[in-house]
Amino acid sequence: MDAPSLKALEHENAELRERLNDARRYDGLTGLLSKGAFCDAVSTALDRSPSERHVIVCFDIRRFKLVNDLHGLEEGDELLRSFAGALKHRFADVAGSFVGRLGGDLFVVFA
């Protein structure tokens, strides 16, 4: 078996770095911005237009633990993915807006 070429290793390394950056930037369950990426995006948006008015709205799914307890983690995860999809869809046409998941059942929108 031949050893991988240097070019092949460099390519693989670049792909792994890109996947790692995506894993840091996006929530693995919902595909929304992660907490850190959301905060970075807000900071950048505010720096670009400090005098413009913006809104940040947080959503917490009340009694979400009951869904997991009564229906299982898979159903709970599906609810989180569905809610994330609904938020993404609702704000897709709002210029300059973005949606993130801060963790658990806590979501946030910047517009």
Side-chain angles (χ1 to χ4, degrees):
M1 188 184 269
D2 293 330
S5 70
L6 182 58
K7 188 167 188 108
L9 289 173
E10 288 173 346
H11 178 73
E12 182 180 356
N13 189 20
E15 285 181 353
L16 290 171
R17 285 178 190 261
E18 187 174 331
R19 287 175 43 199
L20 180 59
N21 285 335
D22 283 350
R24 286 185 190 139
R25 184 161 173 73
Y26 298 102
D27 175 64
L29 180 65
T30 63
L32 298 179
L33 291 175
S34 66
K35 180 179 181 179
F38 181 85
C39 292
D40 290 345
V42 167
S43 180
T44 299
L46 294 176
D47 286 345
R48 284 186 186 149
S49 55
S51 61
E52 191 174 328
R53 297 179 106 185
H54 300 281
V55 64
I56 294 177
V57 181
C58 292
F59 298 90
D60 180 28
I61 301 174
R62 188 172 291 249
R63 297 190 179 110
F64 175 73
K65 185 179 180 317
L66 281 176
V67 173
N68 284 337
D69 290 346
L70 295 175
H71 301 285
L73 296 177
E74 288 181 20
E75 287 295 320
D77 287 351
E78 183 57 34
L79 174 60
L80 295 174
R81 283 190 291 271
S82 294
F83 190 74
L87 286 176
K88 280 174 73 170
H89 178 74
R90 170 59 186 91
F91 290 95
D93 295 336
V94 179
S97 70
F98 42 90
V99 183
R101 180 176 176 218
L102 301 183
D105 63 338
L106 187 58
F107 296 84
V108 64
V109 174
F110 176 89

